[in-house]
Amino acid sequence: MAWLVGLPEVRDSLLWHLAYATNIYFVHIGDWHGSVSHLWSLAVEEQFYLVWPFAIVLTPRRLLLPMLTGVIALAPAFRYYGALTGLHWLAWFVLPFANCDALGLGALLAYASAARWGGVRLYSGLVRTALWIGTPFVLVLWFLELNQLWWPSHVVVPYWVREHRVGLVLRMAD
């Protein structure tokens, strides 16, 4: 529809969007493209789901947990690498490697909830860990937002955390 209306953002990059490569296109041009900027996340998910079934099927069952842990660790490592090497911030926000932590955590929860693989013990351990790590993290973000402070410049945090602070969610709830 946007192409039919003639939006320049769509007309100039239609093939990128049809190929679910919007995120790669944004890195290529080094900027968001207005009315289609939301398509980057769909592209990341599609790219993940193209690779993920092969990763699961080709990984021996005994190595699934280490593989999931490695996938989760890939995102912070990629963002850290991007910060050290001066990679454009958009690359360490919209590329699939930068989003492996969220996608991998979802896969880890699915793994843990499957009784024959992870079991109740792994699942409850993950939930406890998430509460012990996540609650202080959210409270710190909330404190920083309320006091209009932010992280020191040498601390590498994901772009979405820096730009879309938890306080934004709290303001929306008001």
Side-chain angles (χ1 to χ4, degrees), residues 26-27 30-31 82 86-93:
F26 289 158
V27 172
D31 197 12
L87 195 62
H88 192 278
W89 67 266
L90 206 50
W92 41 296
F93 178 56

Side-chain angles (χ1 to χ4, degrees), residues 52 54-72 107-108 111 117 122:
W52 196 245
F54 296 105
I56 295 298
V57 168
L58 296 175
T59 302
R61 188 170 287 175
R62 64 182 166 66
L63 296 177
L64 276 176
L65 187 59
M67 188 266 296
L68 290 171
T69 306
V71 167
I72 293 167
L108 183 61
Y111 173 83
W117 288 345
L122 177 61

Side-chain angles (χ1 to χ4, degrees), residues 47-131:
Q47 293 157 9
F48 178 78
Y49 292 128
L50 282 173
V51 174
W52 196 245
F54 296 105
I56 295 298
V57 168
L58 296 175
T59 302
R61 188 170 287 175
R62 64 182 166 66
L63 296 177
L64 276 176
L65 187 59
M67 188 266 296
L68 290 171
T69 306
V71 167
I72 293 167
L74 180 62
F78 179 75
R79 287 190 292 264
Y80 185 70
Y81 169 80
L84 287 178
T85 61
L87 195 62
H88 192 278
W89 67 266
L90 206 50
W92 41 296
F93 178 56
V94 302
L95 290 179
F97 298 122
N99 292 280
C100 281
D101 48 359
L103 296 165
L105 283 169
L108 183 61
L109 284 174
Y111 173 83
S113 66
R116 64 174 190 228
W117 288 345
V120 175
R121 196 165 163 215
L122 177 61
Y123 185 77
S124 61
L126 286 173
V127 170
R128 275 195 307 277
T129 302
L131 285 173

Side-chain angles (χ1 to χ4, degrees), residues 104-170:
L105 283 169
L108 183 61
L109 284 174
Y111 173 83
S113 66
R116 64 174 190 228
W117 288 345
V120 175
R121 196 165 163 215
L122 177 61
Y123 185 77
S124 61
L126 286 173
V127 170
R128 275 195 307 277
T129 302
L131 285 173
W132 281 103
I133 293 172
T135 302
F137 185 70
V138 167
L139 290 174
V140 166
L141 288 175
W142 186 41
F143 171 80
L144 293 173
E145 175 66 22
L146 289 176
N147 292 293
Q148 297 181 346
L149 303 170
W150 202 232
W151 300 99
S153 61
H154 66 279
V155 176
V156 177
V157 294
Y159 173 78
W160 65 269
V161 172
R162 288 195 330 263
E163 297 301 321
H164 306 290
R165 302 173 198 139
V166 171
L168 179 66
V169 175
L170 295 174

